[in-house]
């Protein structure tokens, strides 16, 4: 996907536009839905979830602000009560996807698409 978006590889017909539109739609949906959690396993850390956003949005997010925004959305995540084993540092809390499907408030990316 990255090679196509950055024009490092040729694609036939209007496939670049189709791929670009699909990626932009996914990026937009991450702002107002819980779609990102679907790309994580049944139990995941906040870092795992943040990495989904960073990968799809192609931008680095501040971990503290991301955590605050995600926790602020009622029903997005449900803590499992278990901590993930870590190699170093404090073990991270494990979460699972909650019942909410729409984010309010939305979690907006800093970069917007250019027309």
């Amino acid at each position: 996907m990255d090679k196509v978006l950055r024009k490092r590889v040729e694609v036939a017909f209007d496939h670049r536009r189709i791929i670009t539109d699909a990626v932009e739609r996914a990026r937009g949906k991450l702002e107002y839905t819980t779609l990102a959690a679907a790309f994580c396993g049944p139990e995941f850390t906040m870092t795992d979830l943040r990495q989904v956003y960073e990968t799809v949005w192609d931008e680095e997010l501040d971990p503290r602000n991301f955590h605050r925004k995600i926790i602020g959305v009622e029903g997005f995540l449900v803590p499992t009560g278990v901590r993930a084993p870590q190699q170093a540092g404090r073990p991270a809390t494990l979460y699972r996807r909650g019942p909410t499907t729409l984010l309010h408030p939305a979690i907006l990316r800093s970069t917007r698409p250019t027309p």
Side-chain angles (χ1 to χ4, degrees):
M1 175 189 82
D2 185 55
K3 289 179 181 178
V4 172
L5 294 176
R6 298 191 194 287
K7 299 181 181 179
R8 293 184 192 148
V9 66
E10 290 296 319
V11 291
F13 310 109
D14 62 345
H15 294 157
R16 183 180 318 281
R17 183 67 189 171
I18 293 168
I19 293 168
T20 301
D21 289 348
V23 169
E24 186 53 40
R25 182 169 168 88
R27 287 175 174 164
K29 284 202 173 265
L30 260 59
E31 292 184 332
Y32 64 90
T33 72
T34 59
L35 176 65
F39 292 99
C40 297
E43 294 182 349
F44 50 90
T45 65
M46 190 67 69
T47 299
D48 296 332
L49 184 63
R50 190 181 79 246
Q51 288 173 343
V52 171
Y53 277 91
E54 289 178 337
T55 300
V56 176
W57 284 350
D58 193 26
E59 65 181 68
E60 192 172 324
L61 302 172
D62 179 83
R64 293 172 304 270
N65 286 336
F66 179 79
H67 184 273
R68 179 181 48 81
K69 288 177 181 180
I70 294 295
I71 294 300
V73 178
E74 188 175 334
F76 184 2
L77 300 181
V78 177
T80 64
V82 178
R83 295 204 175 252
Q86 293 281 328
Q87 308 296 15
R90 189 175 71 185
T93 301
L94 286 174
Y95 297 92
R96 62 181 167 79
R97 193 173 184 175
T100 297
T101 57
L102 294 176
L103 301 180
H104 183 73
I107 299 170
L108 304 177
R109 56 194 151 144
S110 62
T111 56
R112 304 301 295 167
T114 54

